[in-house]
Structures are given as C-alpha cells and as structure tokens.
Amino acid sequence: MRMKLNPEARAIYRGITDRIKSLLVLRESEEYLERFFPTSDRGEIVRRQEYFRTSLVKVKPELRELIARIKPIHFKRDYLHDRVLLVDESEVEIARSLNLCDVTTDPEEAKGYPLVLSTVGYGIDVELVPSQIAPELYVYPLWEGRETLEALARIGALTGEGSVAGKILPLIESFEEIARRRALIESLDELIAQREMELNRRIEEKLEKFSLTLTGKDLIRFLNELKRGQYEEIFSRFTDVEDEVVQEMIRVERELSEIIGIPVEVFSREELYPVRVSPELVERLRGEAEKELIVETYMKSREIAEIIKTYLPRLREEVRRVRELDFLQAVKSFTEGFSFPEIRGRGIAFLGGRHVFLENPQPVSYVIGEKPEWFNAPGSESVKGERIVILTGANSGGKTSLLELITQIEIMAHMGLPVPAERAWVEPLEEIFFFRRKRSTYGAGAFETALRSFVKALRGFGKKLVLIDEFEAITEPGAAVKIIGELLKVAHERNFYVVIVSHLGEELKEELPFARVDGIEAKGLDENLNLIVDRQPVFGKLGRSTPELIVERLARKARGGERELYERILSAFRG
C-alpha cells in the first residue's frame, strides 16, 4: 500500500530521489528507484530492508568505474545483401519471413553472390534459423561490445556472482584478425599506394648504385647497336638489375597477400620503373579479398554463434543486473553512515539524526510518541509518550530543519532505506502531511487555504503524521491559539502524531495539557555577533526566543543615534 504524501512531503521525497539519481552512472537505472516509493505495509518495508542489507554489502568502490564502461549491446536483425539463401519451393515462405537475406529456388540466380547458403545441397548447408543464416548478427555486436563484456566479467568476479562474459570473450578473440583484415581491405588504396612508393624508392636506390664498365671496343659496338635499334644487346647489360627489381616486386606482393589473405600479383613485369598499379586493378583485388573475407567471417561467426547463443539470455540478465547494481551503488553512496530503523513501536524516535540536505548539520535526537528504551538523549526522562508536540524557540534555530529531518527519516524508512541517524525506530504510517511556512503568503485568502489544508489532513482516521510550520504567521495570535488548540485536540482524539512549530507555546500549553512543549534555545552571541544556537531541542521546556538577542546584536553594531534607539528597545526586554 503506497503511503500518501501531501505536496510538501512529496517535494522532500523528490529531493531524496533526485540526490540518489545524481549518483547513478546509467540513466536506465532510474527504473529501480521507482520501485521503492514509500509504502505503509510493514512486511514490505522489512522485505526491502533485508534486500538492501544483503545487497549493499556486495557493492565495492571499484564498481562505479566498471559500470561506467557498460554500454548497451544491440542485436539487430539486419538484411544482409552479401548472401543468398537457396531453398526448396516448399520453404520459400518460411525463408522469406526471416527477412535476413535474398531467397531463391534457382541455382543460376545464386551464382552472383559472394556467399551461397542452401537447404538443398547447393553451397553451404544451413537450417532455416537466424543463427545459421546470419550468425554475424550475433557475433559482431559482441565483438564491438567487448569492453562491456570485459567490464561484466570483472563485475561478476567483484560481486562473486560470476559472468558468462568470461566465457564469451575467448570465443570472439578470433574476430580481432578478421576485423584487422577488414580495415586493411577498406584502406587497400592507401596500402598499395604506400607499397608502390616504397618499391619505387628501393628501385631508385638500386639504379643509383648500378654502374656499367665498357671497353672502347664495347662502347663502339654498343653505339652501333643503339643506332640500328637493336636493344637486346643493350638490355642484356641490365639483366642483373631487372632480376633484383622483380624479386623486390615479388617480396612486396607476398607481403600484401599475407595481409589481405588472398594471392596478390599487382605489379607489371613489363614496366619495371616507375612501378604503377591501376585503380581498376586495386578495385578488382578489393572485390576478391572482400568475397574471401565474407565467407571466412560467416564460417567463423557460425562456429561461435552455435556456442554463444545459449549464453545470451544470461548475458541480457547480467546487463539488467548492472542497472540494479548501479542503483545499489548510488543508494550506498547516498546512505553512507546511515542506519536501518527498527520498524516497530508507536511513533518515531531517532538519535543523532542529520539533515541530508544541509552541509555539516548538527546531530539532533528527537522522539514523538512512545520512547524506546535505548533513547537516551539528554533531558528525555520527561518524555511520556506524547503524540502532540509543540516546538518553540529561537528564530533560525533549526525548527523548520527539524521538521524536514523528521520527514526525511519517515520517508526513507518507508522506502526501506537506511535513515540519516545513529539509531531510529519508526511506526509504519499511512499518511504524512508537511505544511511548510510560506513566507510571502498573508491575508484572508492565505489563511483560508491553510486552514482548509489542515482540516483535510485531520479528517478521517488512520496512522498519520502532521508537521506544521508556524500557522500563526498567517493570522492574529489570539485566533491562532483557538484554531490550533481545536485542531490539536482533534488530532489527539484520533491518535495522530503532530509536531507544530509555534511561538505560542506558553498559551497552547494551557489549552492542551496532553501536549508536550519542546524548545530550541539561542544561548547568546559569539565574538562575531552571530547567534549561538543549540539545535538540539530541550524536551518539555519552552524555548527562548531570539528577538532580544537580535536587538542586542543590532545595538552593538550600530553607531550614534541608531545605537541609542536600539539600546532603549533592549532595555525594554530587560525590564
């Protein structure tokens, strides 16, 4: 059963959840937070507490960094144009419904495809299942997501839950070579141009070192042959150089062959220098290499897919689990140093409570309703299980912050979370109403709106907590005492829990003998003329207000005539 929260209480709930959301790594993890809306069901609260107790211990500091490396692995059913599926007439409808590649019943039509798959014994035999027709669609996403797989494997080891990612990673390692070759084939123009340039440079070096020694007689014969166009005699002198150039070509072609995985012969043996490879030849070579790689990739993918397809359901579950772990690490970070409250008793009590949205807050202990045996805050001996409490005292003393802290502890307890206190107990409630003082709202309209809200909060029965911040601020004190008095009598009769901040504690105490009046006191001014306030309420004691101290501070800061006026006002306080 979801707990009911009025708008101000819901704003505090949103503040808590927003803080947790800010600590998430993955946006998708927010869905887990939505499952922990405050509940009034004691059994559900206890189950949630047990979940967090057992789960938060698995969250290690290294987890956040690993979660940040997790990216979605998308398995898409793409249409592959590099293959054809040759089937029997009776299988055409089923084959086409897979929508993975072209389908035909004619072997002649299949001849133009790099990859021919078949259920009729022509090409590579397959069954009509996606993992055999398009196994790359299973393997490529895993290869591209190997950083995610590595992170999942480490997370599994860190939590002790294990991971199938550790089994998948060794299987897809063989794709590294395929991916490398694919990249080289795509950049084949640059690769061959580079080898062409290197080869021409080596040929130039050999020609520069070449020398030809001729006798006078040989030189005359050489020139005569040149005049008659008889070049064989001339070229015979360069045979050694030609052989060396050809050997260089063969060496480079062998390197290219090893790189792209097919036999390569691209350099002309007729034109030895400068070496040139035509764009048409490069494209033909690329086509042959791609066809070879398509078949090799398919065969390797099919081998891997047959194994990993059994791991995929568990892998998807692990990715989902990472979102849960992300949620847990955010909760652990937010609730570091908090404690799980006891879900029992009649009311709320806590020791060392700390406001979650204030920096370095003073710890405060407080109790509304039944006081647990372990509640040992100073002065709490006078607490007698009062459900109605009037909180009085210094301006800016922390009264509103205390109401916020009570609301925070109540909401987090009903979410099943640890609460910001050293120790706490909380009674499961059905509704929380928090009425914050609206400083800019005055007049009859504001009074009417506020009164209607309070009456609405007190109607009916059930387990309710009502927190009110200075109702008298929107009406005159005399009327406020009568209205507040009657409202609190109704709350007392219906066994609701109420804490109301008021400067009318003395007057209300006379009207409400069943209520407890607590006070937050300002003790004076420090050397910088700042108020010294102990934010821990004193149980059963009216709080000392601060106007006198504020006037004193103004008097000590003022000069001349203003100071005299402030001192005159101050003397009125001191009688």
Side-chain angles (χ1 to χ4, degrees):
M1 179 178 168
R2 288 165 67 93
M3 173 184 261
K4 294 180 181 178
L5 305 173
N6 80 326
E8 291 287 355
R10 190 174 285 271
I12 290 179
Y13 166 73
R14 283 197 302 271
I16 292 167
T17 56
D18 286 348
R19 182 66 64 87
I20 296 173
K21 286 178 183 178
S22 72
L23 298 168
L24 294 172
V25 178
L26 306 174
R27 187 173 181 179
E28 299 86 349
S29 308
E30 291 183 10
E31 66 176 278
Y32 284 91
L33 190 54
E34 295 167 5
R35 303 177 186 182
F36 291 87
F37 190 88
T39 177
S40 302
D41 186 332
R42 181 185 184 280
E44 176 62 18
I45 296 172
V46 172
R47 281 191 291 274
R48 291 179 181 183
Q49 285 189 341
E50 186 59 27
Y51 165 75
F52 284 118
R53 279 195 177 96
T54 57
S55 300
L56 292 179
V57 295
K58 296 180 180 179
V59 176
K60 303 296 190 295
E62 309 95 308
L63 192 60
R64 183 177 177 85
E65 180 185 347
L66 292 172
I67 291 172
R69 293 170 55 189
I70 301 294
K71 301 293 184 293
I73 297 177
H74 297 295
F75 295 94
K76 299 178 182 177
R77 182 164 286 206
D78 289 337
Y79 194 91
L80 305 179
H81 298 278
D82 61 2
R83 67 201 62 190
V84 65
L85 181 57
L86 184 60
V87 298
D88 185 77
E89 287 284 356
S90 62
E91 299 172 314
V92 170
E93 186 176 349
I94 296 174
R96 285 180 176 160
S97 69
L98 295 174
N99 198 33
L100 292 169
C101 65
D102 291 346
V103 176
T104 185
T105 58
D106 184 357
E108 288 300 315
E109 290 183 6
K111 288 182 178 179
Y113 290 85
L115 185 60
V116 179
L117 310 175
S118 174
T119 61
V120 293
Y122 184 95
I124 300 173
D125 290 338
V126 296
E127 296 178 11
L128 294 180
V129 292
S131 61
Q132 291 195 17
I133 296 169
E136 299 94 326
L137 300 184
Y138 292 83
V139 179
Y140 260 127
L142 295 172
W143 163 253
E144 292 170 348
R146 56 195 180 279
E147 184 179 3
T148 292
L149 294 176
E150 290 165 359
L152 286 173
R154 288 186 59 189
I155 289 171
L158 201 62
T159 61
E161 296 174 355
S163 172
V164 295
K167 298 177 180 178
I168 294 173
L169 281 167
L171 294 171
I172 63 172
E173 279 180 2
S174 58
F175 252 68
E176 185 168 357
E177 176 61 22
I178 290 174
R180 185 188 68 83
R181 282 173 53 197
R182 182 175 296 278
L184 287 171
I185 290 170
E186 288 174 355
S187 60
L188 192 59
D189 309 72
E190 294 87 347
L191 180 64
I192 289 181
Q194 181 185 19
R195 292 298 193 274
E196 186 181 273
M197 184 175 64
E198 292 172 358
L199 186 55
N200 281 323
R201 190 183 69 249
R202 289 197 189 99
I203 293 172
E204 287 173 4
E205 291 171 355
K206 290 185 180 297
L207 291 175
E208 287 173 0
K209 294 176 182 177
F210 175 74
S211 63
L212 182 63
T213 303
L214 298 173
T215 64
K217 184 178 179 180
D218 288 337
L219 179 58
I220 293 170
R221 188 171 67 249
F222 185 88
L223 292 173
N224 288 333
E225 293 290 343
L226 185 61
K227 288 178 181 179
R228 292 196 297 267
Q230 301 297 322
Y231 300 113
E232 289 81 3
E233 175 66 22
I234 300 170
F235 292 151
S236 67
R237 302 283 180 172
F238 296 89
T239 301
D240 292 343
V241 176
E242 180 181 349
D243 289 344
E244 289 182 22
V245 170
V246 171
Q247 288 304 313
E248 281 290 335
M249 289 180 173
I250 292 171
R251 183 185 63 77
V252 172
E253 287 173 340
R254 190 178 296 121
E255 287 179 4
L256 289 170
S257 180
E258 291 175 358
I259 289 172
I260 64 176
I262 62 170
V264 173
E265 187 175 323
V266 292
F267 301 121
S268 171
R269 301 319 193 247
E270 302 299 324
E271 299 179 15
L272 298 183
Y273 182 80
V275 171
R276 293 189 182 90
V277 181
S278 70
E280 294 79 13
L281 186 56
V282 173
E283 285 307 309
R284 182 172 61 80
L285 189 62
R286 192 200 311 277
E288 292 174 2
E290 286 178 343
K291 182 175 181 179
E292 188 75 18
L293 189 60
I294 286 170
V295 175
E296 184 178 342
T297 303
Y298 168 82
M299 297 305 293
K300 178 59 69 175
S301 298
R302 181 168 169 177
E303 177 186 337
I304 296 171
E306 287 301 314
I307 302 171
I308 65 171
K309 67 181 182 180
T310 59
Y311 297 147
L312 294 184
R314 170 73 187 276
L315 185 66
R316 292 188 184 95
E317 177 61 23
E318 287 183 26
V319 172
R320 186 206 61 77
R321 172 64 172 154
V322 165
R323 295 169 187 165
E324 183 180 6
L325 289 171
D326 184 26
F327 162 67
L328 290 170
Q329 69 81 24
V331 168
K332 185 169 185 176
S333 179
F334 176 63
T335 61
E336 198 70 48
F338 294 4
S339 64
F340 284 101
E342 301 170 42
I343 307 301
R344 56 191 293 265
R346 296 184 179 87
I348 175 175
F350 54 87
L351 292 174
R354 292 177 178 270
H355 194 294
V356 296
F357 301 129
L358 297 181
E359 189 173 350
N360 299 318
Q362 176 186 334
V364 173
S365 301
Y366 209 58
V367 58
I368 310 152
E370 184 180 347
K371 180 179 69 174
E373 293 181 3
W374 47 260
F375 191 85
N376 58 359
S380 61
E381 300 82 7
S382 63
V383 174
K384 305 299 180 185
E386 298 91 350
R387 291 170 170 266
I388 310 298
V389 180
I390 303 162
L391 185 59
T392 65
N395 292 323
S396 302
K399 300 187 295 296
T400 301
S401 296
L402 178 56
L403 296 189
E404 291 171 346
L405 174 58
I406 293 169
T407 308
Q408 291 164 6
I409 289 175
E410 281 284 356
I411 288 175
M412 292 179 69
H414 285 76
M415 292 174 72
L417 297 172
V419 300
E422 296 170 10
R423 191 168 183 180
W425 82 351
V426 172
E427 176 185 1
L429 301 176
E430 296 168 358
E431 298 179 72
I432 296 179
F433 292 87
F434 179 30
F435 298 101
R436 192 189 302 274
R437 177 185 174 186
K438 295 179 173 57
R439 302 184 183 280
S440 60
T441 306
Y442 298 95
F447 169 73
E448 181 179 343
T449 300
L451 184 57
R452 289 176 64 185
S453 297
F454 298 154
V455 169
K456 183 177 180 180
L458 296 177
R459 71 184 181 188
F461 295 88
K463 296 180 179 181
K464 298 184 184 183
L465 170 65
V466 182
L467 305 169
I468 304 172
D469 191 3
E470 290 194 44
F471 174 76
E472 69 263 25
I474 55 176
T475 188
E476 59 271 18
V481 171
K482 295 177 182 178
I483 295 169
I484 293 172
E486 289 306 311
L487 291 174
L488 295 184
K489 287 175 185 177
V490 172
H492 175 67
E493 292 164 4
R494 299 183 180 185
N495 291 322
F496 297 158
Y497 299 101
V498 179
V499 179
I500 182 167
V501 171
S502 177
H503 292 290
L504 304 173
E506 197 167 348
E507 295 87 344
L508 289 171
K509 182 62 178 173
E510 294 177 4
E511 287 281 325
L512 309 169
F514 52 81
R516 186 178 82 231
V517 177
D518 296 339
I520 295 177
E521 295 193 327
K523 297 183 176 180
L525 300 171
D526 63 16
E527 64 274 12
N528 297 316
L529 302 183
N530 295 315
L531 287 172
I532 302 172
V533 178
D534 182 358
R535 299 183 187 280
Q536 170 60 53
V538 179
F539 298 103
K541 181 180 178 182
L542 192 70
R544 179 188 176 194
S545 192
T546 55
E548 178 183 346
L549 294 173
I550 291 172
V551 173
E552 180 183 346
R553 178 170 65 183
L554 292 171
R556 289 166 65 177
K557 285 184 174 182
R559 295 289 182 270
E562 287 186 5
R563 184 167 188 169
E564 291 178 7
L565 288 173
Y566 284 128
E567 287 178 344
R568 180 171 175 176
I569 297 170
L570 188 60
S571 65
F573 276 101
R574 296 175 176 173

